[in-house]
Every structure is written in structure tokens, then in C-alpha cells.
Amino acid sequence: MKFRHSLLVRYLLIVLIALFTWPLLLPMATLLYFSPQYFTEPAANRNIYANGQRIEEMWHNEATKLSEKTEDTISQQLQALKQQYPLASMFWVNAAGETKLTLPKSDTIPERWTPSETVQFMKQNRGIEADPFTVVALIGQDPNQGFMVIQIPRSLMRSELLHTLDSRFLIAIIVSILAFFLFASWLFFYRIRKRLVRLQEAMTVTDETGIPHRIEVLKKDEISQLEQSFNHMIDQLTSSRKREQEEEALRKQLIANLSHDIRTPLTTIRGHAYSLHKESLTEPGKQSLTLIETKVEYLAQLIENLMSYTLLSAGKYPLEMKETDVIRLTRTSIAMWYPVFEKDNIEVNVHLPEKAMKWRIDPQWFVRILDNLFQNVIRHAGTGRYVCVRTVERNGKMAIAIEDKGPGIKAHTDDKGAGIGLTIVSLMIKEMDLNWEIISSSKGTAVYLFPKTF
């Protein structure tokens, strides 16, 4: 990624502009505040009283020009200056301390000046804040020739434009520039947030495959790198999902073909095993025949489970939900399995109420769940010689419990399979919107089936 496209560089640029602008802000605002007439007013219309420095220089120059001049000449020159500055007050005092001319007439100007009055006048009118603005110049730069004075009210020393301005003008300038930088920062982060929200929405919106759609990359910065990584992840997920679907389809087809191909020899083996029962066999031969029949039955059950699992995972196992009395269905199922339990010397205890308990289920699926659980008891908990079917309360609902006294699910046995029977139970319970729970220890296992609590 190029340096100029970096979001960090862009934001640092905004900060640097702010840092370099703030030191210049106050001088620029002051210049704009105190000198607007030089940019907005024609030279002919400028306020002649506005520039105190220029007036002071002019007055000293005039006083220098009047060196060694007669009193009449000095008075005439003051009258001429009065015409140029009609709103100003002027007077001059000769070397003897006599006031010779006052423009306009004023009773506050003494006719004869004592040294103390001169010093007091100078003190009262010194300083840049003194009002009126006063300039005292020695005639000919010589105390022996007297001095001349001009006084201008401070109210006259501002242009018409500046009369309309006050401290709020400076505040407005500062606030405006501050608002500009705040807006620039807000706009910068708003655009970042907008792009992140767009990326978040792309992550949460999925199609039927459960994979989000790719996002269009519009810029070249850190977020665009994140967008590119997101698109790369989507490509990998799509490719992986496609391979998974192909492998799943191949696996299902393989299981279906194997199940079909194995059923034929199993049927033949069952037929020949049945025929061997009619023959005279030794005791070891009968035991071998019984073992063959047991293993053939187990293999047939395994093939049936594989086929069921394939159909369930493909969503092709027929499901017909309806209100069903699970108590009656459970009684019927345990009655069918009773001879099998009796053959293996397994004690059967049934504690089911006479009152009906109706759930919305598929009866055939529920019987298949019970068959798989009973089969597990025979195969993995037969050493406990006990099975109990009863109703108990579970999570606020009445549940059907199947309990044994076997070694538990975690116990190691030579006859332990891949657990496909319980996988089928889990899939069927999920599809019928039921709940189940398994509690197992070395003293036995209990499986609880109950409806969901809403």
C-alpha cells in the first residue's frame, strides 16, 4: 500500500495543519480586526483620525517646519491644519508660557502655563489609553520656541467598519476555524465508520449457503486491505463448501451403494444359517452358529443406521408430525424388546402412567429412537443386567427416562462402535423439535427425552 493512501497519514496531516494554523490564527485575526479599512475602503474615504501613529508623525513634522517662524505664521499654520482635521482640538503655547491660539475656543486651556501645570497636563494625557488622544510637539524641536498640541477623541480614531466590530468578531473567527477542524475530523471518521458498517453488514448478510457475499473494494488503504482479506476468506469458504458438498455427495452415494451391495450377501448368510439349524451340529458348532447370527444381525442393524443417517443428513427421510401418545408408543416398543432383554438376562422395570402424554412427533421416528437406545443398552450396558423405563420431570416438563446400570458411555469396551446410533437419535430429536439429555457415570447411564420449553 502506498504511503499517500494510508488513513494514518491522512489523519496526521489534519492534525499537523491544525498545529501549524493555531499559532497564526491570533495574529491573522488581529490584523483582520484592526486593519479592515485598508482592504475594504478606498483611500479617499479612509478615516483620517484612525491612524494615531501617522497623526503623531505629521504633527512633529509640522512643528519642525515652524522653527524660527513668527507667531502669526504659526497661528496661520494651525488654522490650516484645523481645516484638515476639523474635529480635532489644537492650541500652541509660546516660550513665555502664554497660550496664543486655541482651536476651538476652550475654557479648560489656561491662558498662561506654569511649569507645574505643564507637567500635570503631560501626565494626564500620556499613555496609549488616554482619551483624548494627545500629541505634544516642541516647535522647531526647541523648548525655547514653545510647543503645540493636537487632541483627538478616541471615538474618532476607528473606521466606520470597526465601529460595528467588537470582541465577538474575534470569537467568531476562532470558533469558525475550530469548527472547520472539528468538521474535518468528524468527516474523516464518519467515512471510516460508514465503510466499517458496510463491511459489518456484508459479514452478517448470507445467502442460502450460509456464506456472506463478496464486498466491492473502492479505495486503497488499511480498510481496503481488510476488505480484500474478507473477500479472500469468502473465496476460500466458497471453495471449501463446494469441495465439502462434493465429498458429502460422494460419501452418501458410497454408503448407499455399499448398503445395497452388502444386503444381498447378508440375506444369503441368514438363509444358510437358518438351514444349518436343521442339521446335526456339535455344541461348539451351535455356539459358532449363534455367534454368526448375532454378528449378522449387528451388521444388518449397522447398515440400516448408515442408510438412515445418510437420508437424515440429506433431508430425505420422510417425516410426518402429529399428536401422539408417547406413553402408549413407549409401552408398545418395550413390549417388542422384552423377549430380547429376557434372552440376555436383563431385568426390565417399566413405570409409566396410565394417563396419556401427547407430544407432536413422528411415531415411526420416535420408535426408531427407542430402538436405538434399547440396542445400546444391550450392546454396551448388558453387564449391568438392568433397564428401567419411566417418566420423570425434567426442566419443567415430563420426560421419558431410559436408565441402565452399565459401565457408562466413557467406559472402554471391545464392542464399542462409532456412535452412529446416538448420532441418528440426535438428528431425529432435532428434526422433531424435541430435547434430550444424557447423564452417564461408572454406575450407569440415563437418557431423558422431553419436549422443548418455550
Side-chain angles (χ1 to χ4, degrees), residues 175-243:
V175 170
S176 299
I177 296 179
L178 178 61
F180 171 77
F181 285 112
L182 290 176
F183 175 76
S185 298
W186 173 84
L187 185 63
F188 178 80
F189 287 106
Y190 171 77
R191 290 178 176 177
I192 292 178
R193 180 185 178 278
K194 184 177 180 180
R195 294 172 63 189
L196 292 176
V197 169
R198 184 169 69 100
L199 184 59
Q200 179 190 18
E201 292 175 350
M203 291 179 179
T204 56
V205 178
T206 60
D207 54 18
E208 63 278 0
T209 64
I211 299 177
H213 296 284
R214 287 172 56 88
I215 191 170
E216 184 181 2
V217 180
L218 301 176
K219 296 185 179 181
K220 297 180 180 179
D221 49 32
E222 289 86 347
I223 296 181
S224 68
Q225 289 183 329
L226 180 61
E227 293 171 342
Q228 290 172 356
S229 299
F230 174 75
N231 288 340
H232 181 64
M233 180 190 69
I234 297 302
D235 293 339
Q236 287 185 326
L237 285 175
T238 303
S239 177
S240 176
R241 180 61 59 85
K242 184 178 179 180
R243 288 195 305 270

Side-chain angles (χ1 to χ4, degrees), residues 373-392:
L373 294 177
F374 292 150
Q375 182 68 33
N376 276 352
V377 172
I378 293 174
R379 290 191 57 214
H380 307 298
T383 57
R385 306 299 178 187
Y386 177 83
V387 63
C388 178
V389 180
R390 63 191 181 99
T391 57
V392 295

Side-chain angles (χ1 to χ4, degrees), residues 43-76:
N45 297 330
R46 290 177 184 170
N47 182 9
I48 59 175
Y49 304 99
N51 195 325
Q53 182 178 1
R54 183 171 59 84
I55 293 175
E56 186 174 359
E57 292 176 356
M58 177 275 299
W59 195 251
H60 281 283
N61 290 334
E62 292 294 333
T64 302
K65 294 178 182 179
L66 294 176
S67 177
E68 304 297 335
K69 299 295 184 181
T70 63
E71 292 183 355
D72 292 339
T73 302
I74 296 174
S75 297
Q76 291 176 1

Side-chain angles (χ1 to χ4, degrees), residues 4 8 27-28 88 120 152 166-167 182 204 210 235 257 265 302 327 356 368 390 401 414 424 432:
R4 61 188 179 90
L8 178 61
M28 291 174 60
Q120 185 65 24
I152 301 173
D166 54 22
S167 60
L182 290 176
T204 56
D235 293 339
N257 293 338
L302 181 60
I327 298 296
R368 181 62 186 278
R390 63 191 181 99
D414 296 334
I424 291 173
M432 289 192 295

